[in-house]
């Protein structure tokens, strides 16, 4: 599965995109999907330096292909206060950290595209923002985001 309840943080308490990304990456490490956190975070930073990953509608999608990722994965955080990912319309309240293995051709782009197709819908974003448990969020993603 792309995500599981253990990869979801409801009420993410982070002030910066770096700390939000690190908290989500720690979940990926704990789940055995990232082998080395600093190496993976560096790959995410390099990607972020090319272009902001904030999308309109309160969404942040930091992502990277990395030799430190073992399996295509999405870790998810919801933030009431919001975290600045560079979107012109304000902070991200839904954060999706996407990791894909280096050799996985365009797996992360397929994940990004599948997520983006759903995230343009306000009712989908609302459902995720209002979900109060990691399991509910993981189930929504598993059901709605098909590759």
């Amino acid at each position: 599965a792309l995500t599981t309840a253990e990869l979801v943080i409801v009420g993410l308490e982070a002030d910066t995109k770096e700390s939000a990304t690190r908290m989500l990456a720690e979940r990926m490490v704990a789940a055995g999907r990232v082998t080395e956190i600093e190496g993976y975070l560096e790959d995410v930073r390099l990607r972020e330096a090319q272009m902001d990953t904030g999308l309109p509608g309160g969404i942040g999608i930091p992502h990277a292909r990395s030799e430190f990722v073992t399996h295509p994965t999405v870790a998810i955080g919801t933030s009431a206060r919001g975290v600045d990912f560079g979107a012109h319309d304000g902070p991200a309240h839904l954060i999706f950290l996407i990791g894909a293995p280096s050799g996985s051709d365009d797996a992360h782009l397929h994940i990004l595209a599948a997520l983006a197709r759903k995230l343009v819908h306000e009712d989908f974003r609302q459902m995720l923002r209002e979900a109060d448990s990691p399991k509910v969020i993981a189930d929504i993603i598993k059901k709605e985001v098909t590759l």
Side-chain angles (χ1 to χ4, degrees):
L2 269 182
T3 196
T4 62
E6 67 183 326
L7 292 165
V8 178
I9 302 174
V10 172
L12 183 72
E13 292 289 334
D15 293 324
T16 64
K17 64 184 181 182
E18 291 80 11
S19 62
T21 302
R22 177 174 290 275
M23 287 176 194
L24 291 170
E26 285 168 354
R27 294 294 180 98
M28 293 164 114
V29 171
R33 293 173 179 234
V34 167
T35 57
E36 209 281 297
I37 192 167
E38 297 308 331
Y40 173 62
L41 287 172
E42 180 60 20
D43 290 337
V44 173
R45 267 193 297 274
L46 292 170
R47 176 66 195 75
E48 194 84 22
Q50 296 168 13
M51 184 200 291
D52 283 326
T53 55
L55 298 179
I59 295 157
I61 308 189
H63 57 278
R65 263 199 324 206
S66 173
E67 64 183 297
F68 303 108
V69 177
T70 60
H71 185 82
T73 300
V74 180
I76 303 153
T78 63
S79 166
R81 195 174 44 205
V83 179
D84 182 9
F85 273 86
H88 61 81
D89 67 343
H93 297 279
L94 296 172
I95 301 149
F96 302 88
L97 177 60
I98 301 173
S102 292
S104 68
D105 57 74
D106 297 329
H108 70 303
L109 297 178
H110 292 301
I111 297 167
L112 268 173
L115 256 178
R117 279 195 297 274
K118 298 302 296 188
L119 289 168
V120 295
H121 301 288
E122 169 58 28
D123 55 341
F124 180 71
R125 298 194 305 262
Q126 188 72 17
M127 202 164 42
L128 290 171
R129 284 194 301 263
E130 291 176 355
D132 54 4
S133 91
K135 182 182 182 325
V136 169
I137 290 175
D139 287 346
I140 291 170
I141 295 297
K142 282 182 221 167
K143 180 169 159 272
E144 299 285 344
V145 179
T146 50
L147 298 183

